[in-house]
Amino acid sequence: MQRKIIHCDCDCFFAAVEMRDQPALSNIPMAIGGSSDRRGVIATCNYPAREYGVRSAMPTAQALKLCPTLTVMSGNMAKYREASQQVMQIFRDYTNLIEPLSLDEAFLDVTGVPHCQGSATLIAEEIRNRVREEVGITISAGVAPNKFLAKVASDWNKPDGLFVIHPSQVATFITDLPVKKISGVGAKTAEKLKLMDIETCGELGDRSLPQLIERFGKFGQRLYELARGVDERPVRVSRVRKSISVEHTYSRDLPDLEACLEQLPRLIMELEERFQKHKDARAVSGVVVKVKFFDFVQTTAEHSVAAPELSHFRQLLIDAYHRGGRPVRLIGLGYRLASEEPGQPEQLSLLS
């Protein structure tokens, strides 16, 4: 049976919830994010703010330079989680095959469901109407025969839009699709492809599998398939967490390595606290340290280890710092989690 996949994505979710509760915010540039004087970043912003070039993950200070009239709010995660639960409950009225990607987006497999005469398009439209009426925000949706195309489609008519790619339209649609629309193709991969005179999926589809694997390794296989609109991934109801991490952005740059090392005990304590609820089910398989320098260049260092110690994090931080050797604005620590249940970890003795 031909799969019917819907990708639903709430429009500027955090900002949308705030505009719902405070309509006066709807027509002015506003964003959810951290304070500019504490090195905050933008979590999301509404569409009036985007017209000024404001984007998520942008430093708040930079956003305010682009849009001096920007209203920045700290946000309310409890309220956003409640709205997310309302949206997810609407999804569950149509199918149990739901794969949440975040609080505000999810894949739905509606293959063979009886609602709306079995039409995925009508189901998507009904979901959008219910979210608007019951939750008070808008949601965009894409309908397609697989996850890759459904996600592309949901972004096609944003905000508050619906786009459908029928199986008979896949070959035509994919030909002119920019390769940057492929998940996993970031700026560096897009540049490599451009050097090969590849900017569309049609051009990518002209390359052989051996060529792509030679140039991109395992990801070459993925590129080969997606360039042809092929994506056999099922909608996964449960997703396995692969890591646990914490990070902190400092209001003032840490000037040297010694100042960075002084932050380790606090960060490790936060990491262990976050890991507590997972420790009985998952084992640690490695440790990761992320460093972002004052100029926003960042690097990560990691090491495979079953029983982490403070010395592991310390050495990784030293290694990461020396790659830049300049003031640091952010440090992050993380555990890589083993895919199988633990034999029982010794990994929580870092501060003893």
Side-chain angles (χ1 to χ4, degrees):
M1 184 181 294
Q2 176 68 61
R3 273 196 271 179
K4 299 179 180 181
I5 308 298
I6 304 173
H7 179 258
C8 292
D9 189 8
C10 299
D11 302 312
C12 57
F13 180 54
F14 295 171
V17 174
E18 296 296 346
M19 291 187 292
R20 175 198 67 185
D21 295 344
Q22 301 181 62
L25 297 171
S26 298
N27 297 316
I28 64 171
M30 64 85 62
I32 308 300
S35 173
S36 60
D37 60 3
R38 299 181 67 86
R39 309 292 288 272
V41 297
I42 300 299
T44 191
C45 61
N46 65 1
Y47 285 89
R50 295 182 190 192
E51 292 177 3
Y52 288 84
V54 179
R55 294 290 183 270
S56 61
M58 176 181 287
T60 303
Q62 182 183 350
L64 288 168
K65 287 181 181 178
L66 292 171
C67 181
T69 60
L70 182 69
T71 297
V72 181
M73 305 178 65
S74 59
N76 184 331
M77 285 305 300
K79 182 164 62 174
Y80 307 149
R81 289 193 185 94
E82 181 181 358
S84 174
Q85 289 169 3
Q86 289 178 280
V87 173
M88 296 297 170
Q89 183 55 58
I90 291 173
F91 295 164
R92 284 191 286 270
D93 287 344
Y94 298 88
T95 179
N96 292 322
L97 295 178
I98 302 169
E99 180 181 339
L101 302 179
S102 62
L103 288 177
D104 62 333
E105 66 173 314
F107 287 111
L108 287 69
D109 188 333
V110 295
T111 309
V113 303
H115 303 282
C116 302
Q117 297 84 51
S119 168
T121 301
L122 293 178
I123 291 172
E125 190 58 50
E126 191 168 296
I127 286 173
R128 293 180 62 251
N129 290 335
R130 286 188 59 189
V131 169
R132 182 185 298 107
E133 295 169 4
E134 298 173 27
V135 188
I137 62 175
T138 63
I139 190 168
S140 294
V143 179
N146 61 51
K147 289 166 68 173
F148 162 56
L149 291 172
K151 187 168 175 63
V152 170
S154 70
D155 194 49
W156 212 254
N157 284 331
K158 262 187 168 293
D160 194 18
L162 171 66
F163 190 76
V164 180
I165 304 173
H166 191 273
S168 63
Q169 300 169 327
V170 170
T172 302
F173 177 83
I174 204 75
T175 299
D176 296 323
L177 186 70
V179 291
K180 64 184 180 181
K181 292 287 188 179
I182 296 177
S183 177
V185 175
K188 291 183 178 179
T189 303
E191 184 60 31
K192 288 181 181 179
L193 289 166
K194 189 173 182 180
L195 291 173
M196 297 171 66
D197 295 322
I198 297 173
E199 296 188 65
T200 68
C201 287
E203 293 165 342
L204 181 59
D206 290 335
R207 301 305 176 100
S208 69
L209 179 58
Q211 281 180 303
L212 295 177
I213 290 178
E214 181 181 0
R215 189 71 178 86
F216 298 99
K218 291 173 62 177
F219 190 52
Q221 172 87 39
R222 184 85 178 133
L223 290 173
Y224 181 84
E225 294 170 351
L226 295 183
R228 291 158 175 76
V230 176
D231 182 11
E232 300 298 336
R233 294 173 301 159
V235 170
R236 298 188 181 279
V237 176
S238 61
R239 306 184 74 207
V240 177
R241 177 184 283 272
K242 297 181 179 180
S243 64
I244 301 281
S245 63
V246 297
E247 62 181 40
H248 187 75
T249 300
Y250 299 96
S251 57
R252 294 185 179 181
D253 294 330
L254 302 175
D256 51 33
L257 177 58
E258 183 178 355
C260 293
L261 292 172
E262 289 175 356
Q263 307 303 315
L264 278 181
R266 175 188 170 190
L267 287 167
I268 289 172
M269 184 177 295
E270 291 180 11
L271 179 61
E272 291 188 353
E273 288 176 355
R274 184 166 292 187
F275 181 64
Q276 286 296 313
K277 63 181 179 180
H278 301 279
K279 68 176 184 177
D280 292 332
R282 304 293 297 281
V284 170
S285 63
V287 291
V288 183
V289 171
K290 178 171 76 171
V291 170
K292 182 180 290 185
F293 299 101
F294 78 100
D295 55 2
F296 293 92
V297 174
Q298 70 178 43
T299 186
T300 59
E302 57 184 290
H303 178 60
S304 296
V305 58
E309 298 179 1
L310 175 59
S311 61
H312 295 131
F313 284 111
R314 180 181 176 85
Q315 187 58 55
L316 290 176
L317 180 53
I318 292 171
D319 293 344
Y321 177 83
H322 283 309
R323 294 173 186 172
R326 50 192 185 271
V328 169
R329 63 176 278 120
L330 176 149
I331 298 175
L333 306 184
Y335 288 143
R336 296 288 187 212
L337 300 181
S339 57
E340 299 178 355
E341 293 190 0
Q344 242 346 293
E346 302 173 20
Q347 59 262 32
L348 296 182
S349 61
L350 300 185
L351 300 178
S352 59

